[in-house]
Amino acid sequence: FVYRIYQKYDKEHKSAFDLQYYRELPQDYSPAEMSYLYHFKRINNEDLTATILDLIRRKYLVLDTLGERVTEKNPNFKLIKNPNPDPNDTLLPHEAHVLKWFIDIVGDGSEVTLRQIEEYPKGNVTKAKTFDQNAKDFVRLAKLAGEKHDFFDDVNKSGAYSYVIIPIVYLFITLFVKNIYNITIGFTVVTCLAIIFGLILYIANIKRRSVNGNEDYVRWRAFKNFLEDFGRMEDYPMPGIVIWEHYLVYATSLKIADKVMEQLEVRLPSIEEVEGFNQSTFIGFGYRYYGFRLGYTFGRINSTINTARMNSVKTITSHTASSVGLGGRGGGFGGGSSFGGGGGGFRGR
């Protein structure tokens, strides 16, 4: 009966698309919305980095080297708010929140450095809690944006729960037989209880993408396959920098940014010769500095977010421990992540 529950309530809808690769962006929604679909309603650490990169790509934010070389261990780049963004572009609530969070709260209203972001929640519990709350607000707003797409079915599980009656009835029959024949039923009782609770837990966690949600999902999965394998596609004409920057935003949320960059470094000619190089917003950032590595900048942004997150956890945990005299966990990011998981997608320098 578990198989019947799976077939009726948990099995994904059959998609009309069945190719291995999809060579362009399947949809134009934000990387956080894509991640909400792809990772089954989860918002991960990488989605914040991807959102920042997307704001840079769309020129809501401008990168400045502050005169530092990319060969520095942790160069202190600056993010500057563009006072005149494209009037035809519109920010979603979670994107506008990121600008407010880092520029207005952490920064001075017009700019912020990466080091300021890292240091903001360090050693100050009020700032750490503010940082943590803004992280939670980002997750909440990103999930709300994802929910508007109806990516998932509203599964009526009442029929599935009816299957739990089967092991319950079997358990009562076993108890009845035991009273008549005085036989040992310990193993049977434990097995029935395990099946009952296992079924309840399984059914409670059933989630299924809608027909449209699954159609989008299989295309994003095929797009991910393409990003992972394009380096071996000799017939694939390399597009310009502008397109690759758009792709890399989603590669970040798909946790394959490193793999994509490794292939780009092999496939791209001298980056200065690539179409649209002068329009690059982050891939070619720092190109003229000795030791330039393709894509190092957005890896640095990701490490900044992770460092700030860890500083927030440490500050809140330390404050909580000192307040109660125990080594317990603090709030906010503590015990995992306000983003609901993540990791991967980038490597340290």
Side-chain angles (χ1 to χ4, degrees):
F1 51 85
V2 175
Y3 179 73
R4 294 190 66 177
I5 294 173
Y6 167 75
Q7 286 286 328
K8 188 172 182 179
Y9 300 97
D10 200 17
K11 185 178 180 181
E12 293 284 4
H13 298 285
K14 185 174 177 59
S15 171
F17 180 84
D18 62 355
L19 300 179
Q20 183 178 4
Y21 298 117
Y22 201 87
R23 301 191 181 199
E24 58 187 32
L25 289 174
Q27 292 290 348
D28 62 355
Y29 38 73
S30 71
E33 292 169 285
M34 181 278 296
S35 188
Y36 179 80
L37 165 67
Y38 197 92
H39 297 113
F40 259 116
K41 300 186 178 183
R42 291 176 67 87
I43 299 298
N44 299 309
N45 297 343
E46 291 85 359
D47 300 325
L48 177 55
T49 301
T51 300
I52 293 173
L53 291 173
D54 202 37
L55 291 172
I56 294 171
R57 181 189 69 83
R58 292 155 62 191
K59 300 180 180 177
Y60 281 94
L61 291 172
V62 179
L63 275 170
D64 185 351
T65 63
L66 286 178
E68 294 199 18
R69 295 176 178 270
V70 295
T71 50
E72 296 290 335
K73 183 178 180 181
N74 292 302
N76 189 28
F77 300 146
K78 181 188 289 184
L79 297 173
I80 304 171
K81 184 178 180 180
N82 181 2
N84 299 302
D86 184 352
N88 297 316
D89 196 358
T90 303
L91 289 176
L92 294 171
H94 68 280
E95 296 169 329
H97 173 73
V98 169
L99 282 180
K100 179 181 178 182
W101 176 8
F102 290 108
I103 299 298
D104 296 338
I105 297 175
V106 179
D108 64 3
S110 61
E111 59 187 41
V112 67
T113 67
L114 299 188
R115 200 157 294 148
Q116 280 179 290
I117 295 173
E118 292 172 343
E119 295 294 324
Y120 181 82
K122 188 176 182 180
N124 184 315
V125 70
T126 300
K127 289 184 176 181
K129 288 182 177 180
T130 297
F131 190 91
D132 177 60
Q133 185 58 53
N134 276 277
K136 290 178 178 177
D137 288 342
F138 170 75
V139 172
R140 176 179 57 82
L141 292 170
K143 287 185 175 182
L144 285 174
E147 288 171 3
K148 292 180 180 179
H149 293 282
D150 294 324
F151 286 141
F152 298 92
D153 278 341
D154 184 13
V155 180
N156 185 346
K157 301 177 184 179
S158 57
Y161 280 115
S162 66
Y163 285 93
V164 180
I165 296 174
I166 297 173
I168 292 176
V169 170
Y170 188 81
L171 177 61
F172 277 106
I173 292 174
T174 301
L175 293 172
F176 178 75
V177 171
K178 189 262 183 189
N179 289 332
I180 295 177
Y181 297 103
N182 196 28
I183 58 176
T184 302
I185 60 169
F187 177 77
T188 304
V189 170
V190 171
T191 301
C192 285
L193 290 174
I195 292 173
I196 291 169
F197 287 112
L199 275 177
I200 292 173
L201 185 63
Y202 167 56
I203 295 169
N205 285 281
I206 284 177
K207 289 180 289 190
R208 183 175 63 188
R209 296 181 182 91
S210 64
V211 173
N212 290 334
N214 196 53
E215 287 292 345
D216 281 3
Y217 167 74
V218 296
R219 285 167 173 78
W220 282 112
R221 186 178 60 192
F223 178 69
K224 180 183 178 183
N225 291 339
F226 159 69
L227 290 179
E228 291 179 311
D229 295 343
F230 78 88
R232 298 194 294 269
M233 299 177 181
E234 295 182 1
D235 64 332
Y236 178 66
M238 295 298 291
I241 287 291
V242 173
I243 293 176
W244 272 113
E245 287 193 333
H246 203 176
Y247 286 2
L248 281 162
V249 166
Y250 292 91
T252 301
S253 278
L254 290 168
K255 307 183 183 184
I256 56 170
D258 266 359
K259 292 181 180 179
V260 175
M261 294 312 303
E262 286 173 357
Q263 294 181 84
L264 276 177
E265 288 179 334
V266 173
R267 288 293 303 272
L268 284 179
S270 171
I271 189 170
E272 203 167 16
E273 299 174 9
V274 178
E275 178 187 348
F277 170 73
N278 291 331
Q279 297 174 281
S280 172
T281 59
F282 62 82
I283 285 185
F285 186 70
Y287 169 71
R288 301 188 185 282
Y289 287 88
Y290 173 77
F292 167 79
R293 181 169 70 84
L294 195 63
Y296 171 61
T297 303
F298 64 97
R300 173 70 180 105
I301 292 173
N302 193 66
S303 70
T304 291
I305 299 302
N306 287 335
T307 299
R309 170 181 173 269
M310 288 187 292
N311 285 339
S312 175
V313 172
K314 289 178 181 178
T315 300
I316 294 173
T317 301
S318 176
H319 174 77
T320 302
S322 63
S323 297
V324 300
L326 298 172
R329 286 190 177 273
F333 288 110
S337 165
S338 289
F339 301 108
F346 293 93
R347 288 194 295 273
R349 186 171 171 81

